[in-house]
Amino acid sequence: MFQLKHWRARALSAALAAVLLTSCAGPPAGNVVTLSFFQFKPEAVQEFAGLIDEFEAANPGIRVLQNNVPDPDTAIRTLLVKNKTPDVLTLNGNASFGLLAKACVFADLSQEPSAQEVLPAVQDILNANGRCRDSEINGLPMANNASGILYNPEIFAKYGVSVPQTWDGLIAAAETFKANGVAPFYMTLKDAWTTSPALVNLAAQLQPEGFFDRLRAAGTDRNNSPVSFSKDYQEVADKLLQLFTYAQPGAAGVDYASGNKAFADGKSAMYLNGSFAVPAIRAANPEAKIATFPYPVTNNPANTTVVSGVDVTLAMGRETPHRAEAQKFIDFLLSKEVIDRYAKNQSAFAPTRSAAPQQDPALQGMASYFTSGKLDGYMDHQLPPSIPLVNITQQFVLDGDKARYLNTLDNEWFKIAARMPKRGDQ
Amino acid sequence: MTHSSKAFYWMAIPALLLFVTLHTVPALTGVFFSLTDYAGYGTWTFIGLENYFSLFKDDRILSSYSFTFLFAITTTIIVNVLALGIAMLLNAKIKFQTAFRGIFFIPNVLAILIIGYVFNFIFSNSLPLLGQWAGIDWLSTSILANKDLAWLGIVAVSAWQSIAFSVILYLAGLQTIPADLYEAADLDGAGYWRQFRSITFPMIGAFFTINMVLALKGFLQAFDQIVALTGGGPGTSTESVAMVIFRGGFQGGEYGYQMANSVVYLLVIVAVSVIQLRTLQRKEVDF
């Protein structure tokens, strides 16, 4: 979900206008089938334009119209309200996607040949967010991100710090940098969502087994729920706060873009983010020194996992009149060659069995977790999007009031369960 | 039917049709969906008034109401006091009067979203530098990142932008006051303050009313400036009602629920405006 938080300036009307304009662009001639292709990533427009050219050259009977709009999660809903589901879509595989899939607006892709190619651990993460009738496969992963700690290997080498394997090691490293006058982390608290990479990693490894399933099963009954944030997130909250005590002065007023620039320029040893930030950091400074390691959340390195989400999910409109053509396009996008190239260009992890391992040195630290399937999903994808999780977390990191933070989360969760009894499981 | 009254209908009916199709029908659709659990897509069921009951139990909704009213009332007062002051200055016999009036109107021409981003930069970067240089603690970090001060930043930007429009209305009002009233007051030895209290203010009562009503109504619907400045943050401390409706309804998959919120809010704004009009109009002078 991290890339698509830059929605702020974009008025909804502009998004709609863009969709309308692009989808009206010239009627197709003769027997050419035109697929409307909703592509959510602004930074990948060029990439997809190139892929579409290739696809169209190989399939003269099909034209693909790429629509890219700001604030895609909102834009896709407005299209759905008007019953204008695109033929083919890419979306971030987040909670919002899960809700849409659950509402059965996407086609079942489980019979697609390319569905057999997907790494099972990745498909599970995507399916866990929600799917139609709890049995279909409504989205196929095209690229994955991985949330981990970015670090500057030059600064690590300069102070003789090795990559931390344990939580204590991480704190010791932070202390070493602090003692030497180097900012251990560069925090960007102005953008609320930048508190969530740390949160989701802590939660993934520290929350009890099946936490969200049990929480959902409790329904609206807060008092008798076997699990709750107040009970089971104490350590998550403590450790989150501990990390954020290392924020540089003035962190509350720094935004993500400035943070990328600062880390790129070597102003901090570490950066609590993920693979998705790598292209942005390189854009800020092509010479940036970046390497990564997974969050060591406990003192047992064997527990360490990488939190990964499906960055680009391919889906198909359920009622598309051009199913065969749409399938062809999806199969093309999931071909080994395209997946490998996309992963390389966008600093992503390829979610298919046959794909080449990620070669980018910045992502090497997390690559082995990916291939061995030591993956967890994003905890925030399990929460209804109407809970303003990142804002509540930002508030907590700023004021440090743990009891209130966990109570707010419980309160929001059960409140929403209560007002949507029929959909309390969302 | 006379020829001229036919012409009235020909002109009024298309406008009425447009209004009904583009405004009344969507509004009623929204009211309908407030009685369902519609997520904005997919299927829905009719749930009666359940959304409305949930609203009053939702502390996030309640805190957005209290923030919005605090913000709107403060900003309305600031805007009207300053606008009236500026209008009187611009109405005085000064050099370059027209040029000044033009300059003071500029903020109203700029889009609030753009102003918001400019001020966001000023609050986050320029003011902290000033604060550090002057050694003022609360100004050394961005006030937008401070949950107790962020709303003041929004007040400042909103006031800066909307004072211009109020000034125009007040200027129009001031020009309706006959000059001989002041001449008579001068002869009777009334001072400046006395003249303001007994002549100027009562004479522009209608303009004061409309300014107060328009300003409060506008600020109650605040959205753009908050998006540009704080995005509702830090935390959820500056979430206005409009913002909660947008976020929950369009992004959070609770379309039906937030439609109920919109209906309630519509009624609240109508009620506030009516009460305001009535109390203020009673104080206006008739002449």
Side-chain angles (χ1 to χ4, degrees), chain B residues 64-76:
Chain B
S64 72
Y65 272 82
S66 51
F67 163 74
T68 310
F69 271 91
L70 174 72
F71 160 77
I73 293 172
T74 318
T75 318
T76 303

Side-chain angles (χ1 to χ4, degrees), chain A residues 8 81 190 394 411 415 419, chain B residues 40 58-59 120 227 235 254:
Chain A
R8 306 193 295 189
V81 169
K190 189 174 172 188
Q394 177 198 40
N411 192 21
K415 200 167 69 188
R419 72 179 177 235
Chain B
D58 190 342
D59 46 3
N120 188 335
V227 168
E254 293 196 301

Side-chain angles (χ1 to χ4, degrees), chain B residues 229-242:
Chain B
L229 284 167
T230 63
T236 51
S237 57
T238 57
E239 266 186 339
S240 69
V241 180

Side-chain angles (χ1 to χ4, degrees), chain A residues 1-18:
Chain A
M1 71 185 294
F2 299 115
Q3 302 78 345
L4 41 102
K5 282 291 170 183
H6 319 295
W7 62 279
R8 306 193 295 189
R10 288 73 184 250
L12 184 61
S13 53
L16 279 174

Side-chain angles (χ1 to χ4, degrees), chain B residues 54 78 82 110 130 198 223 263:
Chain B
S54 304
I78 292 178
L82 290 181
L110 303 172
L130 193 72
S198 305
F223 180 77
V263 171

